[in-house]
Amino acid sequence: MASSGRPHWTLSALLDSMAEHAVVVLSRSGKIVHWNRGAARLLQYSPDEVEGESLSLIFDSIDRMQGTLKHELRTALVEGSYSESRWYRRRDGTLVWADGTLSPIKSPSGKLAGFVTVLRDATERKRHEEEIQRLARIDALTGVGNRHAFNEQLRSMADSALRRQQPLVLHIVDLDHFKEINDRCGHAAGDQVLREAATRMGSLIRRTDFLARLGGDEFAVIQPDVQAPEDGARTAQTLVDALAEPFYIDETEVFIAGSIGVAVFPHDTVELDQLISLADSAMYRAKHSTRGAYRFASKRLDVVAHQRFRDRIQLNRAVRTGSFDLHFQPQIDGASQKVHAVEALLRCTDPKLAHRSPAEIIQLARMAGLMEPISLLVLEKACAQTRAWRAAGWEAIRMCVNLCAEEVADPRLADYVEAALDRSGLDASELEVELTERQMLDYSRNDTSSLDRLREWGATVAIDDFGTGYSALSYLTSLPVDRIKLDREFVRKLPDDPQSCLMAHGVIALAHALELEVVAEGVETAQQAAYLQGAGCDALQGYFYCHPLPGQQLTDWMMQREH
């Protein structure tokens, strides 16, 4: 090399003449010394833009982070050359696949002078290979995955399910009456039905799910990351309903049905071949019992899933008909012993959901995406009851309403609350919103603007079930909170358990130091009430005072208590 650091002009001319290949001369440290015309054409950088820069300029971000260039330089020096095929990044951000060879350049004395890399554009070959691989995993008739792709995806998703400790649901779908269509209308009509069935199912599953045709009239859906094993019932029923809709062949209606077998990994088995076999057996049970249905491999899950699905349908009806009511439980001021707040508690009045507890109704509503209409109904009813009490002379009662993190994260929440307060003629100071400790901590990591707006208007915010094991007490200094409600587990062992007494005293003292009020839930005995009053608890709530009651019954209770 010349002292200027550039190759001799004859070498430069020779390299530039190799316009079909990108030829790059590097310094010993991997800096670009010469960039030929082929490199400028392939990678879209001019020599002036890159000379003096590291060759890693054209590497992707992962290769740069992993120090790939240094590794390749060392390997080329030790082994005499290094060959690699990879994606390189052009000046405009697009990618080009190139086969490359990196070789050391040594002086006549044998000392390392630099390196030369030669890159050959292989993008078209790479795209062709990828297309062949893609087609090898695609069912040619329907365009969904084939059995080979299904096996790959099932292995990959099962590994992920074990790592994430979340169930995976496998649905095996068989089209009922398909042979009759083939026999009566011909194979072309049968192919049309298969394509339409695949399109319908593909449009109904999540982007993270995987649909494949296993052969003939049999399909499979892999559903990862479900919250509970029986949640696969919702997808299965959706697919059954979609396949029950008429198909049209030359404007003629034909009907098929879908029988689905459902198996859950790892609940049913961790062996994938057995998982497929279990789903297949469950599918045949569905086909032989009543076509156009689904069955779980596990009989227990089958019962639970079908009951839960029926409950979800009924809950939708209950929301449409407004089949909900509120019961109210009073909070007693620790000093005056007067009622100063009540908590609104949801009750579903639909007789077909009578076997479900309020907590189960809430869980069903969250899973079915029905919490918003139910919460709005609760808010309206709670405000209406507060207005009725105020009209009857009970003006100092604050209404406490439970919300979930999804609702609080909704930027429309404050608008909903404002509208409900306006309709009832109430002031925001007469309303308290409660979130559980876990929900509050999850919510606090995101946006707190809705709670901040409510507090600015005068509403109070409380942490419900405080002390259930999630809290870091330091969070209390940063959360938009006015009150904490001691979980009933704190209260249950009072006043006999020394550790519970120490914890209760500590939490009450800390809360007061932070200018927060403390409410004790689950007060069931006179001894517990007396102890908590002595410890400085601001308010008490529990069966010792009153069970949750409908609005009029609580009104009667409050009137009797005053007299």
Side-chain angles (χ1 to χ4, degrees):
M1 286 189 181
S3 59
S4 65
R6 295 178 65 88
H8 190 270
W9 70 269
T10 54
L11 177 60
S12 176
L14 176 64
L15 296 177
D16 279 338
S17 70
M18 301 170 63
E20 293 302 311
H21 296 81
V23 182
V24 183
V25 178
L26 307 173
S27 69
R28 286 175 296 192
S29 63
K31 297 289 180 66
I32 298 170
V33 175
H34 182 78
W35 183 265
N36 82 335
R37 285 191 299 159
R41 177 187 56 81
L42 180 64
L43 296 159
Q44 301 177 344
Y45 287 99
S46 68
D48 291 341
E49 290 177 302
V50 297
E51 289 180 1
E53 299 289 339
S54 170
L55 185 65
S56 61
L57 173 72
I58 60 172
F59 287 11
D60 65 26
S61 58
I62 295 177
D63 283 337
R64 286 199 296 269
M65 287 169 49
Q66 294 178 342
T68 299
L69 177 59
K70 289 183 179 180
H71 166 73
E72 293 181 358
L73 293 175
R74 286 195 300 268
T75 304
L77 186 60
V78 171
E79 298 184 3
S81 67
Y82 181 84
S83 298
E84 179 67 282
S85 297
R86 68 151 65 83
W87 291 109
Y88 291 90
R89 189 169 298 279
R90 288 172 161 152
R91 189 178 188 278
D92 64 0
T94 59
L95 298 175
V96 59
W97 183 268
D99 300 328
T101 301
L102 177 69
S103 304
I105 303 172
K106 295 190 176 180
S107 67
S109 63
K111 292 183 178 181
L112 179 66
F115 296 85
V116 61
T117 185
V118 179
L119 304 177
R120 181 172 60 87
D121 186 1
T123 306
E124 186 174 341
R125 186 198 74 210
K126 178 65 173 176
R127 301 288 190 201
H128 182 65
E129 290 172 352
E130 288 181 339
E131 181 63 11
I132 291 175
Q133 291 176 0
R134 188 187 72 83
L135 292 175
R137 291 166 172 76
I138 294 295
D139 176 61
L141 176 63
T142 62
V144 302
N146 60 15
R147 182 175 283 276
H148 177 64
F150 165 77
N151 290 332
E152 283 187 344
Q153 287 293 322
L154 185 60
R155 283 194 297 271
S156 174
M157 289 180 171
D159 288 342
S160 177
L162 287 177
R163 288 195 306 271
R164 297 162 63 91
Q165 296 186 330
Q166 284 193 299
L168 173 149
V169 177
L170 172 63
H171 306 258
I172 298 294
V173 184
D174 189 81
L175 303 185
D176 302 323
H177 313 299
F178 178 73
K179 185 176 183 302
E180 298 171 18
I181 293 176
N182 256 348
D183 293 343
R184 190 173 78 247
C185 304
H187 288 283
D191 290 348
Q192 186 178 336
V193 169
L194 289 173
R195 284 192 292 268
E196 174 63 21
T199 299
R200 289 187 191 182
M201 290 189 285
S203 69
L204 295 171
I205 62 177
R206 304 170 302 175
R207 292 176 61 185
T208 52
D209 298 339
F210 183 78
L211 171 65
R213 180 184 174 216
L214 302 183
D217 60 354
E218 189 170 87
F219 293 82
V221 173
I222 309 173
Q223 186 182 4
D225 298 329
V226 297
Q227 295 302 309
E230 59 269 24
D231 289 350
R234 186 177 186 181
T235 297
Q237 187 62 53
T238 300
L239 296 177
V240 166
D241 292 343
L243 294 172
E245 293 293 320
F247 289 73
Y248 292 91
I249 299 173
D250 296 330
E251 300 183 356
T252 301
E253 273 190 350
V254 296
F255 290 88
I256 63 171
S259 293
I260 302 179
V262 186
V264 181
F265 175 92
H267 179 277
D268 294 325
T269 179
V270 295
E271 298 295 332
L272 297 185
D273 287 343
Q274 189 177 9
L275 187 76
I276 296 170
S277 178
L278 288 172
D280 210 44
S281 297
M283 179 268 291
Y284 279 106
R285 288 208 322 272
K287 185 181 284 288
H288 292 151
S289 60
T290 169
R291 297 190 178 203
Y294 66 90
R295 291 289 182 269
F296 274 75
S298 162
K299 291 184 179 179
R300 185 192 68 81
L301 280 182
D302 206 38
V303 172
V304 170
H306 279 82
Q307 182 60 55
R308 178 168 288 188
F309 185 77
R310 287 192 294 269
D311 287 347
R312 281 184 178 178
I313 293 175
Q314 195 60 36
L315 188 60
N316 268 286
R317 292 180 183 142
V319 169
R320 289 198 302 271
T321 58
S323 300
F324 295 93
D325 207 347
L326 296 184
H327 285 195
F328 303 91
Q329 188 172 37
Q331 294 176 6
I332 308 301
D333 185 271
S336 69
Q337 288 295 288
K338 292 183 177 181
V339 177
H340 83 132
V342 295
E343 181 178 3
L345 300 167
L346 181 69
R347 298 291 185 266
C348 182
T349 58
D350 189 307
K352 292 186 178 180
L353 292 171
H355 63 288
R356 292 290 191 182
S357 69
E360 289 175 321
I361 293 293
I362 294 297
Q363 183 185 18
L364 273 173
R366 293 184 70 177
M367 293 170 63
L370 295 171
M371 278 309 301
E372 180 180 312
I374 291 176
S375 294
L376 293 178
L377 183 147
V378 169
L379 189 61
E380 292 288 346
K381 284 180 174 287
C383 287
Q385 183 61 65
T386 306
R387 181 182 59 196
W389 280 328
R390 191 173 67 174
W394 307 87
E395 294 188 2
I397 296 178
R398 179 192 298 146
M399 179 62 69
C400 308
V401 177
N402 292 279
L403 298 177
C404 63
E406 295 90 342
E407 296 167 278
V408 177
D410 188 337
R412 299 171 297 173
L413 172 67
D415 296 328
Y416 292 152
V417 172
E418 183 178 28
L421 292 173
D422 286 344
R423 282 191 290 271
S424 58
L426 299 180
D427 188 78
S429 62
E430 297 174 85
L431 180 69
E432 177 172 293
V433 295
E434 297 182 2
L435 281 84
T436 65
E437 182 179 8
R438 177 60 180 271
Q439 290 169 345
M440 180 66 82
L441 293 181
D442 288 345
Y443 174 62
S444 68
R445 297 186 181 101
N446 301 303
D447 180 24
T448 60
S449 59
S450 290
L451 291 184
D452 291 334
R453 282 180 66 188
L454 293 178
R455 294 181 79 214
E456 287 171 5
W457 296 342
T460 55
V461 176
I463 299 180
D464 200 6
D465 301 333
F466 185 83
T468 50
Y470 298 105
S471 43
L473 294 178
S474 59
Y475 266 103
L476 290 177
T477 61
S478 58
L479 293 174
V481 172
D482 305 286
R483 310 172 87 205
I484 61 173
K485 299 185 71 176
L486 281 179
D487 184 67
R488 61 188 68 250
E489 283 302 308
F490 268 111
V491 176
R492 185 172 59 85
K493 297 179 182 179
L494 295 177
D496 300 321
D497 179 53
Q499 187 172 5
S500 295
C501 293
L502 182 64
M503 290 291 289
H505 267 286
V507 171
I508 292 170
L510 175 64
H512 287 168
L514 296 173
E515 299 183 344
L516 302 176
E517 293 183 10
V518 180
V519 182
E521 293 185 286
V523 179
E524 297 188 356
T525 68
Q527 291 81 6
Q528 291 171 345
Y531 182 84
L532 289 163
Q533 283 178 266
C537 195
D538 299 286
L540 300 97
Q541 177 180 349
Y543 291 171
F544 172 67
Y545 294 101
C546 184
H547 286 246
L549 297 172
Q552 185 55 53
Q553 290 184 34
L554 185 60
T555 302
D556 296 340
W557 179 88
M558 290 190 294
M559 292 179 66
Q560 291 172 6
R561 197 166 190 273
E562 277 202 347
H563 296 299

